[in-house]
């Protein structure tokens, strides 16, 4: 069915249980869908914009209150909405990092963290992971020490994921922040896979910046996200313009440089705001989400030749599986080759895995009901049995 012209209707979320690793936390609520339609026109939130003409001060719709709610949500002082977590990283690197300076990130950092360092002219220095694919406070301290010794002064920034995108493993943010504190190095907490799906307390973690992704974890349209910080850093990161036109002498009020004035001016911020009451509640149901994740991981582990590469028991719903010794063996002789698995899952109403994936792949159970999780678990076991793989 076509929406119009050559654009097809997208019905993945309606017709399948979607296990796509990056999509589950960004599914819109019904409220967000309404907001997207009502505020779809261009600069729609600017209807009632008045002095001082900045997004976070608009009262109708209540974007000012929404900004305060976002800051409180992650236990920080000031927040801004951003076009994606990546633009949050970039606002921070552009403020704190000068060309040639080292920036500490990790062996599991997302490419957008690297690009944020690159766009500021920084030089990446990775904290290595341990044997369990975890970033520890101890390794962070060693890297801080080495980088500080080499460059003669501490690095301007350390960025760390609470949960990484490859394994969905939990990293020692609090311990890492503690180590960074000893060198007076500010810490950016990357909550792309946490803010909006589990409780996050930036103050308790001792971090200076909390970045979240609206379209990954806050049931919001893309591109959306947030950057929150302490009152100590707010004046730096959210500094206002100081430039003046040389012929016209024009100045630009309180526009914030790193925000390029205003960021999300229509459907994105309104979708994010409309979902927020639901998002704020759903983080309290994280334990149930983990039970579903563990149930599916256990089912996969019960299939001979299959390994869960992420930490077990699961502490996140994003999981990396290795089926080289099970489904991939079947794929070698199956007439559908590697597509047999995605095709067998589709017959059972399950989708979202990388098509043809039978080797090492990721899935995310976030947002499934218990019944759906049980169906997914049973389906993997059934497909294995049907193809002659031993199941325990
Ligand atoms: C998805 C992801 C990002 C990028 O988030 P955007 O909101 O799309 O910019 C950054 N870091 C991690 C760990 C991610 O998983």
């Amino acid at each position: 069915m076509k929406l119009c012209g050559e654009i097809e209707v997208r019905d993945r979320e309606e017709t399948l249980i979607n296990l796509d690793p990056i999509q589950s936390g960004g599914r819109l609520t019904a409220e967000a869908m309404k907001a997207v339609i009502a505020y779809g026109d261009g600069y729609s939130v600017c209807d009632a914009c008045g002095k001082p003409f900045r997004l976070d001060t608009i009262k109708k719709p209540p974007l000012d209150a929404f900004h305060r709610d976002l800051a409180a949500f992650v236990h920080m002082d000031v927040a801004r909405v951003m076009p994606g977590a990546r633009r949050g990283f970039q606002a921070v690197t552009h403020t704190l990092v000068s060309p040639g300076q080292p920036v500490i990130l990790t062996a599991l950092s997302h490419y957008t963290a690297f690009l944020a360092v690159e766009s500021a002219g920084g030089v990446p220095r990775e904290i290595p992971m341990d044997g369990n694919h975890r970033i520890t406070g101890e390794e962070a301290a060693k890297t801080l020490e080495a980088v500080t010794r080499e460059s003669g002064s501490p690095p301007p920034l350390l960025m760390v994921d609470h949960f990484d995108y490859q394994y969905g493993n939990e990293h020692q943010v609090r311990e890492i922040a503690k180590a960074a504190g000893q060198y007076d190095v500010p810490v950016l907490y990357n909550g792309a896979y946490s803010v909006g799906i589990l409780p996050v307390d930036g103050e308790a973690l001792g971090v200076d910046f909390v970045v979240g992704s609206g379209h990954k974890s806050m049931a919001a349209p893309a591109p959306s996200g947030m950057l929150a910080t302490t009152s100590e850093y707010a004046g730096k990161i959210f500094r206002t313009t100081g430039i003046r036109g040389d012929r016209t002498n024009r100045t630009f009020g309180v526009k914030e440089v790193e925000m390029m004035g205003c960021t999300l001016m229509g459907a994105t911020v309104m979708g994010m705001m409309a979902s927020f009451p639901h998002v704020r509640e759903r983080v309290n149901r994280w334990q149930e989400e983990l039970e579903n994740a563990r149930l599916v991981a256990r089912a996969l582990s019960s299939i001979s030749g299959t390994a869960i590469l992420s930490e077990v028991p699961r502490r996140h719903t994003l999981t990396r599986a290795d089926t080289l010794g099970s489904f991939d063996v079947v794929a070698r002789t199956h007439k559908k080759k590697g597509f047999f698995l995605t095709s067998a899952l589709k017959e059972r109403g399950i989708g979202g895995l990388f098509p043809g994936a039978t080797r090492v792949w990721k899935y995310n159970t976030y947002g499934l009901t218990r019944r759906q999780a049980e169906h997914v678990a049973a389906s993997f076991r059934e497909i294995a049995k049907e193809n002659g793989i031993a199941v325990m």
Side-chain angles (χ1 to χ4, degrees), residues 143-222:
T143 304
L144 279 156
E145 162 71 26
V147 171
T148 303
R149 195 166 0 92
E150 276 169 40
S151 43
S153 57
L157 178 66
L158 181 153
M159 302 202 257
V160 61
D161 309 334
H162 191 174
F163 295 90
D164 68 89
Y165 74 101
Q166 294 191 43
Y167 295 88
N169 283 354
E170 184 168 21
H171 306 293
Q172 294 182 349
V173 175
R174 197 193 307 257
E175 292 80 356
I176 293 167
K178 205 167 166 207
Q182 310 206 315
Y183 293 82
D184 257 330
V185 173
V187 175
L188 183 152
Y189 167 100
N190 178 359
Y193 266 117
S194 57
V195 174
I197 63 172
L198 58 102
V200 171
D201 185 338
E203 190 183 5
L205 290 169
V207 299
D208 302 279
F209 309 101
V210 172
V211 174
S213 172
H215 49 267
K216 190 177 263 153
S217 297
M218 301 176 81

Side-chain angles (χ1 to χ4, degrees), residues 213-342:
S213 172
H215 49 267
K216 190 177 263 153
S217 297
M218 301 176 81
S224 62
M226 62 173 287
L227 164 62
T229 186
T230 57
S231 21
E232 183 193 346
Y233 279 101
K236 282 201 177 98
I237 305 293
F238 305 133
R239 68 196 175 282
T240 53
T241 167
I243 211 164
R244 183 183 288 276
D246 71 328
R247 290 183 189 275
T248 61
N249 244 351
R250 282 176 303 153
T251 55
F252 306 94
V254 295
K255 299 292 194 208
E256 292 167 347
V257 178
E258 294 299 343
M259 305 297 113
M260 289 300 287
C262 296
T263 52
L264 313 182
M265 308 117 175
T268 44
V269 71
M270 291 309 292
M272 198 178 170
M273 185 161 85
S275 278
F276 188 65
H278 168 81
V279 164
R280 190 159 52 184
E281 280 306 307
R282 79 181 188 181
V283 299
N284 299 318
R285 295 194 296 275
W286 182 233
Q287 216 47 44
E288 290 155 50
E289 295 289 347
L290 287 184
E291 282 160 26
N292 288 345
R294 289 171 184 177
L295 188 154
V296 173
R298 270 199 305 274
L300 280 166
S301 304
S302 73
I303 299 168
S304 169
T306 301
I308 297 297
L309 300 181
S310 305
E311 62 187 348
V312 179
R314 297 298 305 120
R315 286 197 262 183
H316 199 278
T317 53
L318 169 70
T319 300
R320 189 179 182 92
D322 176 340
T323 51
L324 274 162
S326 53
F327 294 129
D328 196 55
V329 176
V330 175
R332 281 176 222 153
T333 54
H334 200 284
K335 62 180 188 303
K336 291 186 185 167
K337 301 238 170 57
F339 293 94
F340 94 91
L341 179 60
T342 34

Side-chain angles (χ1 to χ4, degrees), residues 17 19 289-303 306 308 314 317 319 321 361 363-366 368-381:
I17 294 174
L19 300 180
E289 295 289 347
L290 287 184
E291 282 160 26
N292 288 345
R294 289 171 184 177
L295 188 154
V296 173
R298 270 199 305 274
L300 280 166
S301 304
S302 73
I303 299 168
T306 301
I308 297 297
R314 297 298 305 120
T317 53
T319 300
W361 46 278
Y363 65 92
N364 195 340
T365 58
Y366 187 73
L368 300 192
T369 62
R370 174 54 62 92
R371 270 189 71 203
Q372 287 174 324
E374 282 169 352
H375 174 66
V376 169
S379 296
F380 278 124
R381 288 167 56 90

